[in-house]
Amino acid sequence: MLDHEYTTKKVFRENFFKDWRKEMTRQERLVITDLEKCDFRELHAFHKDKVEARKALSKEEKQDQKDANQKIVDKYGYCLLDSHRERIGNFKLEPPGLFRGRGEHPKQGMLKKRIQPEDVIINCSKEATPPAPPAGHHWKEVRHDNTVTWLASWTENVQGSIKYIMLNANSKLKGEKDWEKYEVARKLKSCVDSIRDGYLRDLKSKQMVARQRAVALYFIDKLALRAGNEKEEGETADTVGCCSLRVEHITLHDELDGSECVVEFDFLGKDSIRYYNKVPVIKKVFKNIKLFMESKDPGDELFDRLNTALLNKHLSSLMPDLTAKVFRTYNASITLQQQLRQLTNKSDNVAEKLLSYNRANRAVAILCNHQRAPPKTFEQSMANLHSKIVARKEQLALAKTELKLAKKEMKTKDGPDSKLMVDRKAAAVKRCEDQLLKMELQATDREENKQIALGTSKLNYLDPRISVAWCKNMDVPIEKIYNKTQREKFAWAIDMTEADFEF
DNA sequence: TTGTAGACTTGGAAAAATATTG
DNA sequence: CAATATTTTTCCAAGTCTACAA
């Protein structure tokens, strides 16, 4: 923790010291008055040594550790739901530590306290025997609420929010909800045209609310922006979504880079990830935004008459279960389907098809603004890959000359042995070519993926049935696109999807 | 009608596990 | 086999949205 950048931040240090002092004895409080004078290096080294010691364990000792951990998972990692044994997602409660938060969080550095049994609510069926609290302790409460899915909960002290113990993504319960989510998004597909007509019409409405709602919807639909709930000031980092956009977050250009009516977005979204985009919009939208911005300060809300509740209420009147985030799911999934159709050829080999799949996935990640910090080892790993490619090219050249030589020999000698030799050399050339192609595709993929995070869209936005159907159509094994965990999570889709599935 | 607690999904970083390489 | 690179898992914060109370 000491070597992390956030320990140098003023807010972090102040919050930490304030909370630390609360934990001190009177004596300690008298002595420890200035964080600048505190030297934590010994403590830091102690923890580092511990990590090192664990790394240095022998093979057997590591196996013992692993077995012991597995026993804990076997014992505590499962629950019984409707008499089915289901894996729990997070069966360990969160240990104490210093709250970090993301971006410029006003509470960073605060002490996250240890959870006591007295803080924990257990939720189980009436018939079940609740787990016994640790000796000498009691639970905060044992309740039997079958309208919620959580098994245990506690209130976290930094934000005052409730934390839950819930089921793993591969559980029947989560799988069904996932399926429902995508079915709602598919329903949107069938009425999205009329909804689009509707908000385009509303751009000219007499009512300001309707106009603002229309422009917000235009953004949400076209740019896959999040809804943007209002947040309590000073409690969290200053981030926004669509409805909470402020005047300072957009710049209008009547003309930019050869396009007319360009809106330039620059704001911090969820997790303080920057959203930067220059988008040509239709004239009516552009004029409306100009109107909304009139006589406002940079810090004022762009959509001053609108909030997410209002927006979602309107959406639910257009289609049952329709909310702002359904547009993200719908646009993500439909984009994947379109891109896969556009980019993949049945005649490509598997490596080429996988590059196309990743590119389609990437198009979605870009739409949803899923970014990552470039891996620290990116340049190095790229260089390694390129040198491997060079080496393989040399090997290929060598294999080719050997093949030529063998062919020549076959002409002069013409025996079964020399024929065999030619076949063998030809196979070597083929193998080499395949490997080279695969590496080159891998290099392209990695380069394009430098700052893009594919995981979130793959896990949360892309209807897995699109991918399963694609695999079937393209003769790509499902293991090539989903690892074991992902296959478990998407088991419902893998089981039920035929090659002709259409989102 | 509005505000808020509560429940659940979404999100990237970091740690841990595993695969690859020298 | 150890060191290193890559993939998978864990972690927990931060969103969305609903239900319910005032």
Side-chain angles (χ1 to χ4, degrees):
Chain A
M1 170 165 260
L2 210 55
D3 41 22
H4 208 288
E5 190 223 344
Y6 55 68
T7 58
T8 64
K9 294 202 170 177
K10 188 161 175 277
V11 179
F12 186 94
R13 297 178 70 90
E14 282 174 0
N15 283 333
F16 163 63
F17 197 58
K18 200 171 145 203
D19 276 4
W20 185 26
R21 278 183 65 80
K22 285 186 211 157
E23 300 298 311
M24 292 177 192
T25 62
R26 183 194 291 271
Q27 262 308 308
E28 287 166 339
R29 233 187 324 267
L30 239 43
V31 180
I32 309 167
T33 57
D34 185 357
L35 182 59
E36 301 299 322
K37 291 179 183 159
C38 297
D39 183 354
F40 296 99
R41 280 176 298 183
E42 199 177 328
L43 203 55
H44 187 232
F46 173 79
H47 281 290
K48 277 207 152 165
D49 288 350
K50 252 175 131 176
V51 173
E52 286 306 311
R54 213 150 34 86
K55 267 193 209 159
L57 252 39
S58 74
K59 223 176 175 181
E60 293 73 31
E61 288 170 314
K62 276 185 183 163
Q63 190 55 47
D64 289 350
Q65 279 277 321
K66 217 177 147 187
D67 293 346
N69 282 337
Q70 189 53 47
K71 269 199 175 140
I72 295 173
V73 174
D74 290 343
K75 181 164 180 187
Y76 297 105
Y78 293 83
C79 71
L80 224 53
L81 180 74
D82 297 339
S83 57
H84 284 288
R85 194 169 126 99
E86 297 274 26
R87 183 89 149 81
I88 300 170
N90 57 329
F91 65 91
K92 293 174 183 168
L93 79 220
E94 295 173 14
L98 299 185
F99 178 84
R100 173 55 191 103
R102 296 193 252 268
E104 293 301 318
H105 197 115
K107 297 194 172 186
Q108 64 189 104
M110 282 186 170
L111 177 65
K112 217 173 83 162
K113 293 192 172 173
R114 182 178 297 282
I115 311 303
Q116 298 296 336
E118 284 70 18
D119 303 318
V120 174
I121 303 174
I122 302 289
N123 188 36
C124 61
S125 63
K126 268 194 189 119
E127 302 75 34
T129 317
H137 286 278
H138 62 269
W139 302 123
K140 182 177 182 181
E141 186 191 335
V142 175
R143 67 171 76 158
H144 313 290
D145 183 352
N146 64 2
T147 67
V148 296
T149 73
W150 54 269
L151 311 169
S153 72
W154 72 91
T155 301
E156 163 269 346
N157 70 292
V158 175
Q159 314 248 45
S161 66
I162 309 169
K163 300 266 186 157
Y164 302 92
I165 301 289
M166 286 187 189
L167 294 185
N168 191 274
N170 66 11
S171 59
K172 185 160 172 261
L173 187 85
K174 295 280 190 188
E176 275 170 5
K177 289 207 93 179
D178 214 27
W179 173 78
E180 277 172 24
K181 175 181 75 183
Y182 291 114
E183 285 305 296
V184 172
R186 289 176 83 196
K187 221 164 54 181
L188 174 56
K189 186 191 178 189
S190 66
C191 60
V192 73
D193 288 336
S194 84
I195 289 175
R196 283 173 178 159
D197 289 346
Y199 69 64
L200 290 177
R201 224 177 304 119
D202 281 345
L203 289 170
K204 304 173 276 191
S205 168
K206 296 264 189 311
Q207 289 174 296
M208 193 50 122
V209 204
R211 283 198 187 203
Q212 294 199 351
R213 199 180 60 204
V215 173
L217 259 177
Y218 179 88
F219 287 164
I220 284 170
D221 186 19
K222 188 180 171 77
L223 305 173
L225 298 190
R226 296 187 187 82
N229 286 309
E230 51 269 66
K231 303 167 61 176
E232 214 173 333
E233 216 174 315
E235 295 292 302
T236 60
D238 178 19
T239 63
V240 297
C242 185
C243 291
S244 49
L245 278 170
R246 298 190 298 261
V247 170
E248 61 195 319
H249 296 131
I250 57 172
T251 312
L252 297 181
H253 304 275
D254 292 319
E255 200 259 306
L256 184 73
D257 307 328
S259 302
E260 283 187 355
C261 300
V262 175
V263 184
E264 185 180 348
F265 292 83
D266 192 354
F267 62 88
L268 296 182
K270 182 178 178 181
D271 294 321
S272 292
I273 303 280
R274 186 180 180 204
Y275 183 93
Y276 183 78
N277 202 359
K278 288 182 270 194
V279 197
V281 301
I282 57 175
K283 265 210 171 71
K284 264 183 275 179
V285 166
F286 195 78
K287 277 188 183 168
N288 269 309
I289 302 171
K290 252 186 188 168
L291 180 72
F292 304 158
M293 289 170 80
E294 251 172 37
S295 66
K296 276 189 195 166
D297 292 329
D300 291 342
E301 283 197 359
L302 178 65
F303 302 116
D304 52 304
R305 308 286 179 86
L306 187 69
N307 59 44
T308 53
L310 233 45
L311 179 69
N312 280 333
K313 207 176 147 213
H314 176 246
L315 289 176
S316 72
S317 78
L318 302 178
M319 183 193 108
D321 302 319
L322 184 62
T323 61
K325 94 182 179 89
V326 178
F327 280 89
R328 242 167 111 80
T329 311
Y330 160 71
N331 277 310
S333 286
I334 203 78
T335 301
L336 179 76
Q337 187 170 75
Q338 284 164 354
Q339 287 293 306
L340 285 177
R341 282 180 187 165
Q342 219 173 87
L343 297 174
T344 31
N345 305 305
K346 191 106 199 188
S347 57
D348 286 350
N349 65 36
V350 172
E352 288 167 323
K353 285 172 181 168
L354 286 174
L355 175 63
S356 299
Y357 182 86
N358 281 348
R359 282 180 161 163
N361 193 163
R362 204 137 46 230
V364 175
I366 289 167
L367 176 71
C368 293
N369 198 41
H370 293 144
Q371 301 185 32
R372 62 166 180 177
K376 288 183 183 63
T377 54
F378 184 83
E379 299 305 332
Q380 185 58 54
S381 115
M382 220 54 224
N384 289 158
L385 193 50
H386 279 128
S387 53
K388 269 169 78 178
I389 287 172
V390 170
R392 185 69 69 185
K393 273 183 180 162
E394 284 167 4
Q395 197 189 342
L396 177 62
L398 191 68
K400 276 183 175 167
T401 44
E402 280 181 13
L403 174 62
K404 258 186 212 158
L405 221 64
K407 275 184 176 165
K408 215 184 238 172
E409 186 139 331
M410 187 171 75
K411 270 185 190 161
T412 54
K413 284 199 182 157
D414 191 35
D417 282 0
S418 53
K419 169 85 171 79
L420 200 73
M421 186 58 88
V422 168
D423 287 351
R424 201 178 294 163
K425 293 292 178 194
V429 167
K430 175 81 168 70
R431 205 164 50 235
C432 224
E433 277 174 339
D434 286 351
Q435 284 168 342
L436 179 63
L437 180 68
K438 200 174 156 187
M439 275 197 271
E440 282 175 330
L441 292 168
Q442 202 185 355
T444 308
D445 191 42
R446 197 176 294 181
E447 189 69 60
E448 289 177 359
N449 216 43
K450 185 175 180 181
Q451 308 201 64
I452 312 289
L454 299 183
T456 296
S457 49
K458 201 172 190 176
L459 245 43
N460 301 300
Y461 288 102
L462 302 176
D463 188 331
R465 291 169 294 184
I466 299 169
S467 297
V468 173
W470 178 83
C471 280
K472 290 196 171 174
N473 279 319
M474 291 291 161
D475 290 318
V476 173
I478 194 81
E479 298 79 36
K480 296 280 181 191
I481 59 164
Y482 290 144
N483 68 28
K484 184 163 157 280
T485 314
Q486 293 163 343
R487 291 198 300 278
E488 280 170 13
K489 170 172 166 141
F490 297 133
W492 61 271
I494 296 171
D495 288 346
M496 69 185 270
T497 309
E498 305 293 337
D500 63 353
F501 173 83
E502 186 168 352
F503 176 79

